[in-house]
Amino acid sequence: MKRILLLPLLALACQAETTQQTPCSRNLEKYLNSSVKSFLKENSSYQRITIMDSKPGLAHSLLVVYSRDCTVELIPTKFEHMMPFDTNMGWNMEEFQKEKIGSIDVYSSDKLIQRIE
């Protein structure tokens, strides 16, 4: 009897997991002008996050990797909390997460598929 009850629960759990959308398939415009931290909190299934630099030592954006088919780049409007220049590239991730998002680039298989400004 217990086996019969567990099978429907397992099926429901699998269905809920497969219906979750990645951030790449959502409308991300609502995150413009919100903090990087709020984006990460609501889209926490990422594999890794990396602060990217545009010139050596000058932080530019936060790369949020969900899968090979879904990577989101969060670009701050301006740096108000974290000092963006560090020749040792030892940026403070907690300070970066306080920054406001000015634009969002969405990539699939390393190709830009959407730019939100």
Side-chain angles (χ1 to χ4, degrees):
M1 183 66 100
K2 288 183 183 178
R3 288 184 184 163
I4 295 171
L5 292 175
L6 290 177
L7 288 175
L9 290 176
L10 182 60
L12 284 174
C14 290
Q15 183 181 7
E17 192 171 310
T18 57
T19 58
Q20 283 184 338
Q21 293 180 326
T22 65
C24 293
S25 60
R26 293 186 190 148
N27 180 3
L28 301 178
E29 287 184 21
K30 70 178 186 175
Y31 295 107
L32 291 178
N33 297 314
S34 65
S35 71
V36 170
K37 186 174 187 170
S38 66
F39 176 91
L40 294 175
K41 185 177 180 182
E42 292 181 26
N43 300 284
S44 62
S45 63
Y46 53 85
Q47 293 177 357
R48 72 178 184 279
I49 56 176
T50 306
I51 296 177
M52 304 300 290
D53 56 338
S54 57
K55 296 181 181 178
L58 183 61
H60 173 262
S61 61
L62 185 70
L63 198 66
V64 186
V65 178
Y66 291 92
S67 69
R68 184 178 188 286
D69 295 326
C70 180
T71 300
V72 176
E73 185 174 16
L74 305 174
I75 305 162
T77 307
K78 60 182 177 177
F79 286 92
E80 296 178 345
H81 302 279
M82 186 190 86
M83 177 62 102
F85 186 74
D86 186 342
T87 56
N88 297 320
M89 295 185 223
W91 300 290
N92 184 322
M93 184 62 76
E94 288 191 25
E95 293 297 313
F96 192 103
Q97 290 183 22
K98 295 176 185 176
E99 302 298 345
K100 300 288 184 199
I101 299 170
S103 63
I104 301 170
D105 288 347
V106 181
Y107 297 88
S108 179
S109 302
D110 296 329
K111 293 180 182 169
L112 180 65
I113 59 171
Q114 185 179 20
R115 174 164 284 149
I116 303 163
E117 299 179 304

